[in-house]
Structures are given as C-alpha cells and as structure tokens.
Amino acid sequence: MISEIITIGTEILIGSITNTNGPYLSRKLTDVGYEVRYHESVRDSYSDIRDAIELAMKRSNVIFLCGGLGPTQDDMTKQALAHALGLELVFDEEAWEYIVNVSMSFSKNITENNKRQAEFPKGAIIIDNHKGTAPGCLLNYEGKQFFLMPGPPREFEPMADDIVENYLEKVAGENFVTSLRLLNIGESLCESIFREEKIETENVEINTFAKTGEVEIKIIAHAENPEDVKRIGKEHAQAVERVKELFKDHLYGNGERDSFETLVDLLREKNMTISFAESVTGGTLATMITGVAGASDVLKESYITYSNETKEKLLKVKPQTIEAHSVVSKEVAGEMSAGLYNKTQSTYSVATTGEAGPEPSTDHEVGTVFYSISKNGEEIMGGKRLFKGDRKTIQFRSSKFILASILLHELGENNGRK
Amino acid sequence: MISEIITIGTEILIGSITNTNGPYLSRKLTDVGYEVRYHESVRDSYSDIRDAIELAMKRSNVIFLCGGLGPTQDDMTKQALAHALGLELVFDEEAWEYIVNVSMSFSKNITENNKRQAEFPKGAIIIDNHKGTAPGCLLNYEGKQFFLMPGPPREFEPMADDIVENYLEKVAGENFVTSLRLLNIGESLCESIFREEKIETENVEINTFAKTGEVEIKIIAHAENPEDVKRIGKEHAQAVERVKELFKDHLYGNGERDSFETLVDLLREKNMTISFAESVTGGTLATMITGVAGASDVLKESYITYSNETKEKLLKVKPQTIEAHSVVSKEVAGEMSAGLYNKTQSTYSVATTGEAGPEPSTDHEVGTVFYSISKNGEEIMGGKRLFKGDRKTIQFRSSKFILASILLHELGENNGRK
C-alpha cells in the first residue's frame, strides 16, 4: 500500500521544530507492511496544502495529513482538503460535545473558534483524540484514504497507534515482525555478520536501527497468500532463531523495556544493589539508573569524585597510586571501586576515571576511560576503553557500555553462559 | 528566494532515522532571508528521485538534494539529477585526487566504486566535503540552483554552513538577525508578552523556538532596498533592545555558549565552586555541570543520596526531621544542603528531594520537587516546585530550573539587579 505523510506547519519549514511524527508513523506503517514512499512538509498556506493534497492523490493510496487542526485561522488543513476534493465541511454535534468535555477536563477556555475543530469534510469518520481538543478523521474518497491527525507529538503518537491498529485496511496476508535489541556491538559489524551468514531470504528482510549505544534488529516477513503463511512464518521464525544465536552475547530483549530498565529489574529481582564512584562520567551512570522507576531499591548512594583530593578523602585512593600511575589509570579505577565497596557494601561497585576532553590532563588520549566493576568486592571486569566523540558523548557512551557490560554479565549468569 | 530541501534515503521513509538535515538547513536559510517552502523525502529509487527533481523545478528556485552521494549502487542522486536535466556525468580528476587523499587520511580502503563519487553533472562546481569522501556540488541550470549534499549530518552540517556563507546568491538587501536565549519562562508566556507589547512591525519579525527548558527568541528583519537599510536596521535594533528589557530577568546570552557552559564559565571566573546532594534528580545536576569542559574547576565532589539512611549518614539529616516532615519536604532539603556545605565548603550547595514517580512514596504529587540552594552556607533560594512529565523529564526540568536559577542570580548580581 503506497502511502504518504504530509506534515503541515510553518515551524517545520523554518526549522523551529523537527518533524518526528513522520518517522514515528513510518515505523508503524512499515511494521504492518505499508510502503511509505513520500514525506512532504508544507507551510500553513491554503494553496500549498491543497497542492500537496492534489499531488498526493496522483501518487499515493493512503495519505496522512498531520497538523493544522487547531482552532485558529492558521489551521486550515480540513478546509484545504474539503476544497481539493470538492466536499463541504459539516459541523458534527458529537465531536463538538467531545471537544467541550475535553476542554473542560483540561480546564481550558472554550471559544467560538473551537467550533472550527468540530467541522469535518462530509462523510468523514471521526477519530477521537484523547490528549487534546482536535479530533482526527478518516475520509474515504475515490479509492483513496485520507487520515487527518493533530500535529503535537503527544496527541499525534497515540492517534497513530490507534489508526494503525483499528482503522487501516489490512495489507493482504500476514506480517511477521520481530524486534531484537543488542548492546556493545556496532551497527555495521552487526549488519556484516548477518549479511555474511545470509540470513535474509527472498521473504525475510532484516533492518537495523542504530539507537544511542545500541542496535535494534528488525526481522520482517510478509506472506501475501494464505497458502504461504505457514511456510513464510517458519522461514521468519528460523531467521529470528539464527539471529538470536549469532548475537546471544549481545542480546538483552525486544525493546519493550530499555537496557537501563532491564538492568534495574534484574538487580531488584536478585536483591542486588549498585553504587558508583564517578570521575570521568560525572554522574551519568547514576542518572541512567535513577531515571528508572524503582531505582531506589538498587541504588542507595553514589559519588561523583572529580578531584584527586576527593578520591583520596572519600574513597581512600592512595596518593602514591595517583603519583605513580597518574589519576587516569587502571590502578586508580581499581582503588576507587575497592574504596567504594568498603563504604557502601553494594553488590556492584563501579568506578570510572578518564579523559573527557576537550584537552587531556594526562598523557592519555581524550576519550580514554578506565573502569573497574567489582561484584561483592571482587573486580570482575575493568580496564581501558577508548570512546570517540565530544565530552558528553564520551560520558554517555562509556556509561552505557559499563551498564551494558553488567547487564550482559548478569544475563549470562542467568543462562549459565559465563 | 523559494527553496526546497529534498532528502533522499529509504532509511528516512521506514522511520529508521529522523531527518535532522532539513531543520538544520532551514534555520540557516531562514536567517539569510530565504523562504523554505517544501521539505520532501524520497526513497533510494531512481525514478522517485527524478520525479522529485522534476517537481521541484516547477515550484522552487533553489533546490537542495541531500543524501545518495555514496559509492554504492544505492546512491544515485547525481545520476538522477543528470538524467532529469539531460546532462552527462563527467569524471573530475581533481575531485578524485581529493577523494583518494581523504580516504587515506581516514585509513579507508578506496575501491573502484569510489570513482562514482568523482563524477558530476557537466558544469557543476564542486564543493569540498571536509568530513567524508563524498564531495557536494552546485549546478546552475536554467535559472535554478541545485545543491547536492551528503546525507550524514556530520558531513552535511559543515557543508550547509559553507554553502550558506559562500555559495548562495545573496538575497537583495540586508538581513538583521539577533538571537536571545531565555531561562525559566515558557514559550507561550514569552510570545504573549511580546505580542501584547506589539514589538513586531511590518519589517521586524520575531520567532520563538522552544529548546529543552529554555526559549530562543529570534528577531529578524530584512531590508530589500539600500535606502531602507538604515531605517530598518534601526527598527530591528530597537526591537532587540525592547525584548532585552522586557525579558532581562530571564536573559542569559545569545546561545553561543549554552546555559550550563555559561554557568560554569561564570563560576570559574568568580572562583566559585558548586556541590550537589541529589535525591530526586539522581545525578542529573552533576551530569549537567560535568558535561562542560572545565567543570573540574568548579565541581570537586557531589553526592547522590537516594535513601533516608544515606541522607542521615552522609549529610547528617536528622531522623526526627524526616519523621516529622517526611523525606520529601522543605525541611529535609534544607538540612541536606546545610550538611553538604559542612562537608564540602562549596560556594553553592544544592540539594533536591521529591517525587519522580511513577508512584509517589509520600503524600506529595508526582513531580513535586523541594530544593535548597545555599551560597556560602546561607540558603538564598529554595522551596517547592511542581514539574510535569515522566520521570526523566521531571529530573531534567527540575535540574535545569535549579541551575538556571543560580545562573540568573549570578547574572543579576553582575548587573546589580538583585
């Protein structure tokens, strides 16, 4: 099904906001077997919107119009659509009641302008907006489907979920989509491995998505004819199994819980705790953990020890060790995590020291991170790693790498792999 | 000058990546007086790219084609452009030499495929790519300008800067653009203030951009005729002065240095230090500061004190205080910052306690944050604030609010305002 996403708003064209609705909906549509062939953005201009609609009718079957459903004169998507299709706008009593109720629940004033939001092209099916006052709609017209959706992502995204689930014509046949999340492996290495192993077939496609510090692998298959469902489903399942086996040392889940949530869940289940002594990462490790609900069960206290003085005072790092090896060293990281364990008795004691840049303070290159991870007081992982990027990127990547290492270690323990 | 940005890449249409090149270039073009009227994204398909080019020629004067300049068969932007315009592709010796040199400096292998990257539509002016192997180009054709640019943002953005500065036809007349950054004020309040004050004129336009936790105000004017330059320049300068005056309690700079950088710079200049005792913010405050180069001069140590036990042990918060007021209270925040000051003697001692959710642990609503900021041991700001959003958003917004309050306080001291 050839589809097109038109986003409407001058803010997009002057670069004031980035269009995230397009990618959000595109991912959803791709998962259900639609082919998104065009993204187009136009200004809040009646003629530009109308032209975009006329163009889309020539080249696409399913057309999504996002934005311009608000109550002001700037908002004219419905008007332009009605005009392009030669339909009149009809005031919908039920939609109006709904708008009044939603406005009241948000304690928003309702004005005469809001009535525009209850007008729809004749024949439209109204789609509820649970997060705002602008309902969406579906219009079937000469074999084309038009979906009108609100612009703000917090209203757009739930409606996109709703539309994909309840309003789209099903693509003939069946879709198979499996998502797997990997840590501590690069996208291109990942891609070259499954390419080399020739896991993709005529029916099974694999896409990779590089997320911040992780890779999502999506394994997709589509069986158009009922008689192929079983065979292609099996092909898909085999591909999934092969990918899982190939990447078992990196796999942590399907992305429903992110890696930090998965780690906190796991530590909590096992009654484990974690503490950090952060120098180069400067609080990033703690922030990643405390961003998860329930973090308080696993993290009780944590330290940012930026200066040598603080490392000595709080963690009992020996001045001689700093003197002999410099503060950016395996030895200092080791003494930091040992000192941290003595202070906190946490299951995991994690220490970092390194060079975040922009200028190095020691002989080490910017991006050098020494880390030490102890479990019940014994160092189980640690050493030196080099991370690329600017200061914040180095902090983020090294912290994500460390937490990923702990998560993969614990998952390995669960599977008896390590 | 009506312009259009076409981004090319199947990854965009399946939602695997978000198009950030479009907004980046749009901001730059808007600043120099161009009108970006269309953003369009198409797949790596020869015919789709060609159709997009043909459409753009009908409706735009300056056309940017981004992506599809790589060495593989998937990359066919130049081929499609040459075809659409009926031009041949010519191998450029100089570009080839450049590609070979760049590849060597990146220690990349060069293959026969790379030769495609040295082919350009006849008559094109080659634009260097300092970050990758794909040069861009400018092609003037029948009164239209085509710019071909690489897709990866780290290559695209510097080339966009270069093009806007050195290759664009100047819009007749002169542009006036001033950017001001505000903290601790919402975009809509900000907008309603300058609308009410009627600062915009026929010649002076104001755009606001909501950034994470701050607002950028851009004041733009354009004088088309030489005889208007002086008058409109003056009008623009007056508008800038009025905006500065209106928002003086929120203004921190022009965005060249972000608010965290500005704060670290200022504290360092004044030989001041800062420490944090973070409960609800869980390391976010420290991370914001340590993300800035030179943070080590102002932050020596910092604590994440998540549990009651740790607040008592490390910060000497009295168990009775927690008992009497609950751990989420002004009183506990106050004792935390006092305890922190006793430990660190930092100029600024900042403490937070609150409810990050998703479920509250006390009677307070999720999003409630109590904070206490002491300067040289005396509390100068503090109290209760409510922040909306999920857990991470509450942590982010409250931390940004607190650092913004300190920055605005110090700027006020500088200006003798407070």
Side-chain angles (χ1 to χ4, degrees):
Chain A
M1 203 74 87
I2 296 174
S3 43
E4 166 155 4
I5 302 172
I6 302 173
T7 40
I8 293 145
T10 304
E11 322 86 87
I12 298 170
L13 280 305
I14 63 171
S16 168
I17 57 172
T18 298
N19 170 19
T20 59
N21 291 343
Y24 185 88
L25 181 55
S26 293
R27 274 191 297 275
K28 299 268 165 188
L29 292 171
T30 304
D31 282 354
V32 295
Y34 275 56
E35 184 188 354
V36 181
R37 207 176 282 174
Y38 311 97
H39 284 181
E40 172 138 275
S41 302
V42 295
R43 296 185 167 229
D44 299 307
S45 143
Y46 195 85
S47 59
D48 287 356
I49 301 170
R50 200 196 51 216
D51 290 351
I53 292 168
E54 285 171 1
L55 172 64
M57 286 182 72
K58 287 187 202 139
R59 61 186 190 181
S60 305
N61 305 116
V62 185
I63 299 150
F64 298 87
L65 293 158
C66 319
L69 301 186
T72 72
Q73 294 299 326
D74 275 2
D75 297 300
M76 49 192 122
T77 304
K78 286 185 295 196
Q79 290 71 13
L81 179 64
H83 185 225
L85 307 185
L87 298 172
E88 54 175 328
L89 285 176
V90 186
F91 182 79
D92 188 290
E93 278 296 343
E94 212 172 312
W96 177 237
E97 225 170 274
Y98 183 82
I99 292 167
V100 173
N101 285 335
V102 170
S103 298
M104 279 165 53
S105 77
F106 293 165
S107 329
K108 270 195 182 171
N109 285 333
I110 201 134
T111 66
E112 199 55 26
N113 278 342
N114 287 100
K115 288 211 167 161
R116 289 166 57 95
Q117 298 187 290
E119 291 174 357
F120 292 91
K122 200 169 178 177
I125 299 158
I126 291 161
I127 301 173
D128 287 348
N129 176 354
H130 299 285
K131 301 281 185 178
T133 55
C137 73
L138 158 61
L139 187 69
N140 288 297
Y141 182 87
E142 293 190 354
K144 309 278 176 184
Q145 288 200 302
F146 292 89
F147 287 95
L148 269 68
M149 305 171 68
R154 60 181 294 281
E155 301 176 32
F156 176 88
E157 292 179 6
M159 193 179 288
D161 296 350
D162 186 19
I163 286 173
V164 170
E165 196 166 329
N166 302 310
Y167 290 86
L168 280 192
E169 270 181 52
K170 297 279 172 287
V171 170
E174 197 157 336
N175 280 305
F176 301 92
V177 182
T178 301
S179 170
L180 300 172
R181 298 287 189 120
L182 309 183
L183 292 167
N184 290 1
I185 186 170
E187 188 187 15
S188 57
L189 175 58
C190 180
E191 223 179 278
S192 68
I193 291 173
F194 73 71
R195 288 269 149 79
E196 190 153 316
E197 294 285 327
K198 297 197 182 11
I199 297 177
E200 286 184 294
T201 67
E202 200 190 322
N203 301 304
V204 180
E205 187 189 337
I206 303 183
N207 291 322
T208 58
F209 299 75
K211 311 262 165 187
T212 44
E214 61 188 85
V215 177
E216 180 182 5
I217 299 190
K218 242 184 208 176
I219 303 147
I220 304 176
H222 178 71
E224 187 129 359
N225 303 313
E227 63 270 26
D228 297 331
V229 168
K230 209 168 156 189
R231 180 176 53 83
I232 290 177
K234 199 171 155 193
E235 240 176 77
H236 176 262
Q238 279 169 343
V240 170
E241 282 317 304
R242 287 188 62 200
V243 171
K244 279 187 176 169
E245 179 56 29
L246 272 176
F247 298 104
K248 64 174 187 294
D249 292 337
H250 298 279
L251 181 68
Y252 80 88
N254 58 11
E256 264 178 42
R257 301 282 285 162
D258 72 25
S259 68
F260 308 138
E261 290 168 338
T262 309
L263 177 59
V264 168
D265 292 351
L266 199 59
L267 294 178
R268 197 170 36 195
E269 263 169 41
K270 297 182 165 189
N271 281 318
M272 290 176 172
T273 53
I274 193 164
S275 287
F276 304 104
E278 303 188 55
S279 184
V280 65
T281 51
T284 313
L285 281 160
T287 305
M288 284 172 172
I289 292 294
T290 64
V292 179
S296 53
D297 292 337
V298 305
L299 186 138
K300 314 270 182 224
E301 62 188 281
S302 200
Y303 299 83
I304 292 137
T305 53
Y306 231 56
S307 64
N308 291 358
E309 198 186 317
T310 310
K311 290 179 185 80
E312 294 167 13
K313 183 178 91 174
L314 292 177
L315 304 170
K316 312 292 176 214
V317 172
K318 295 191 213 82
Q320 310 86 284
T321 312
I322 296 177
E323 183 72 28
H325 303 279
S326 102
V327 69
V328 177
S329 64
K330 177 164 77 65
E331 289 76 12
V332 168
E335 289 192 10
M336 286 170 72
S337 77
L340 180 66
Y341 177 70
N342 287 337
K343 229 177 152 73
T344 63
Q345 304 291 311
S346 293
T347 318
Y348 278 102
S349 302
V350 181
T352 63
T353 176
E355 294 288 356
E359 297 303 325
S361 62
T362 63
D363 291 343
H364 292 287
E365 188 176 348
V366 168
T368 303
V369 173
F370 286 95
Y371 68 105
S372 168
I373 303 174
S374 82
K375 190 172 177 181
N376 301 317
E378 287 208 37
E379 188 177 82
I380 59 163
M381 285 178 274
K384 175 180 165 177
R385 296 279 297 201
L386 191 65
F387 298 90
K388 296 230 184 256
D390 64 13
R391 195 174 165 88
K392 282 177 205 161
T393 309
I394 291 164
Q395 291 183 321
F396 180 88
R397 289 192 176 158
S398 56
S399 297
K400 177 119 188 186
F401 165 80
I402 287 168
L403 294 183
S405 302
I406 296 173
L407 174 55
L408 294 173
H409 175 81
E410 281 301 322
L411 290 172
E413 295 271 314
N414 281 4
N415 298 337
R417 264 193 275 124
K418 279 173 187 168
Chain B
M1 201 74 86
I2 296 175
S3 44
E4 167 156 3
I5 301 172
I6 302 173
T7 39
I8 294 145
T10 304
E11 322 88 85
I12 297 170
L13 281 305
I14 64 171
S16 168
I17 56 172
T18 298
N19 171 17
T20 58
N21 290 342
Y24 185 88
L25 181 55
S26 294
R27 274 192 297 276
K28 297 269 164 186
L29 292 171
T30 304
D31 282 353
V32 294
Y34 275 56
E35 183 188 354
V36 182
R37 208 177 280 173
Y38 311 96
H39 284 181
E40 172 138 275
S41 301
V42 294
R43 295 184 167 229
D44 298 308
S45 142
Y46 195 85
S47 59
D48 287 357
I49 301 170
R50 200 196 51 216
D51 290 351
I53 292 168
E54 284 170 2
L55 172 64
M57 285 182 74
K58 287 187 201 136
R59 63 187 187 180
S60 304
N61 305 117
V62 185
I63 298 150
F64 298 87
L65 294 157
C66 319
L69 301 187
T72 72
Q73 294 298 325
D74 275 3
D75 297 299
M76 49 193 122
T77 305
K78 285 185 296 194
Q79 289 72 14
L81 178 65
H83 185 225
L85 307 185
L87 297 173
E88 53 174 331
L89 286 175
V90 186
F91 182 78
D92 188 290
E93 279 296 340
E94 212 173 313
W96 176 239
E97 227 171 90
Y98 183 81
I99 292 167
V100 172
N101 284 335
V102 170
S103 298
M104 278 167 52
S105 77
F106 293 165
S107 330
K108 270 195 181 171
N109 286 332
I110 201 135
T111 65
E112 200 56 26
N113 279 341
N114 286 100
K115 288 209 166 163
R116 288 166 58 95
Q117 298 188 290
E119 290 175 357
F120 292 91
K122 200 169 178 176
I125 298 158
I126 292 162
I127 301 173
D128 287 348
N129 176 352
H130 298 286
K131 300 283 185 177
T133 55
C137 73
L138 157 62
L139 186 68
N140 288 297
Y141 182 87
E142 292 188 357
K144 308 276 175 184
Q145 288 200 302
F146 292 90
F147 287 95
L148 270 69
M149 303 169 70
R154 59 183 294 282
E155 300 176 33
F156 177 87
E157 293 179 6
M159 195 181 287
D161 297 350
D162 186 20
I163 286 172
V164 170
E165 195 166 329
N166 301 311
Y167 291 86
L168 281 191
E169 269 180 53
K170 298 277 170 292
V171 170
E174 198 159 334
N175 280 304
F176 301 92
V177 182
T178 301
S179 171
L180 299 172
R181 297 288 187 117
L182 308 183
L183 292 167
N184 290 0
I185 186 169
E187 188 187 14
S188 58
L189 175 57
C190 180
E191 222 179 278
S192 67
I193 291 173
F194 73 70
R195 288 268 149 78
E196 189 152 317
E197 294 284 327
K198 297 199 185 3
I199 297 177
E200 285 184 295
T201 67
E202 201 189 321
N203 300 304
V204 180
E205 187 189 337
I206 302 183
N207 292 321
T208 58
F209 300 75
K211 310 265 166 186
T212 44
E214 60 188 84
V215 177
E216 179 182 5
I217 300 188
K218 241 184 209 176
I219 303 147
I220 303 175
H222 178 72
E224 187 129 359
N225 304 315
E227 63 270 27
D228 296 332
V229 168
K230 210 169 157 187
R231 180 176 53 84
I232 291 178
K234 199 173 157 193
E235 241 177 76
H236 175 263
Q238 280 169 344
V240 170
E241 283 317 304
R242 286 188 61 200
V243 171
K244 279 188 176 170
E245 180 57 29
L246 272 174
F247 298 105
K248 64 175 186 293
D249 293 336
H250 298 278
L251 181 68
Y252 80 87
N254 59 11
E256 265 178 40
R257 300 283 285 163
D258 73 24
S259 68
F260 308 138
E261 291 169 337
T262 310
L263 177 58
V264 169
D265 292 351
L266 199 58
L267 293 178
R268 197 171 33 192
E269 261 169 43
K270 295 181 166 191
N271 279 319
M272 290 176 170
T273 54
I274 193 164
S275 287
F276 305 103
E278 303 188 56
S279 185
V280 65
T281 50
T284 313
L285 282 161
T287 305
M288 285 172 170
I289 292 294
T290 64
V292 179
S296 52
D297 292 337
V298 304
L299 186 139
K300 315 270 184 227
E301 63 188 284
S302 199
Y303 300 83
I304 292 137
T305 53
Y306 232 55
S307 65
N308 292 359
E309 199 185 318
T310 309
K311 289 180 184 79
E312 295 166 13
K313 184 177 89 173
L314 292 178
L315 304 170
K316 313 292 174 214
V317 172
K318 295 192 211 82
Q320 310 87 284
T321 312
I322 296 177
E323 185 70 30
H325 303 279
S326 101
V327 68
V328 178
S329 64
K330 178 165 73 72
E331 289 76 11
V332 167
E335 290 193 9
M336 285 170 73
S337 76
L340 180 66
Y341 177 69
N342 286 337
K343 230 175 150 74
T344 63
Q345 304 290 312
S346 293
T347 318
Y348 278 101
S349 302
V350 181
T352 63
T353 177
E355 295 287 358
E359 296 305 325
S361 62
T362 63
D363 292 343
H364 293 287
E365 188 176 347
V366 168
T368 303
V369 172
F370 287 96
Y371 68 105
S372 168
I373 302 173
S374 81
K375 190 172 176 181
N376 300 318
E378 287 208 36
E379 188 177 82
I380 58 163
M381 286 178 272
K384 176 180 165 177
R385 298 276 300 200
L386 191 65
F387 297 90
K388 297 231 183 256
D390 64 11
R391 196 173 164 87
K392 281 176 207 162
T393 310
I394 291 165
Q395 291 183 321
F396 181 87
R397 288 193 178 158
S398 55
S399 298
K400 178 119 188 186
F401 166 78
I402 287 168
L403 294 184
S405 303
I406 296 173
L407 174 56
L408 295 173
H409 174 81
E410 282 299 323
L411 291 172
E413 295 271 315
N414 282 4
N415 300 336
R417 263 193 274 124
K418 279 173 188 170

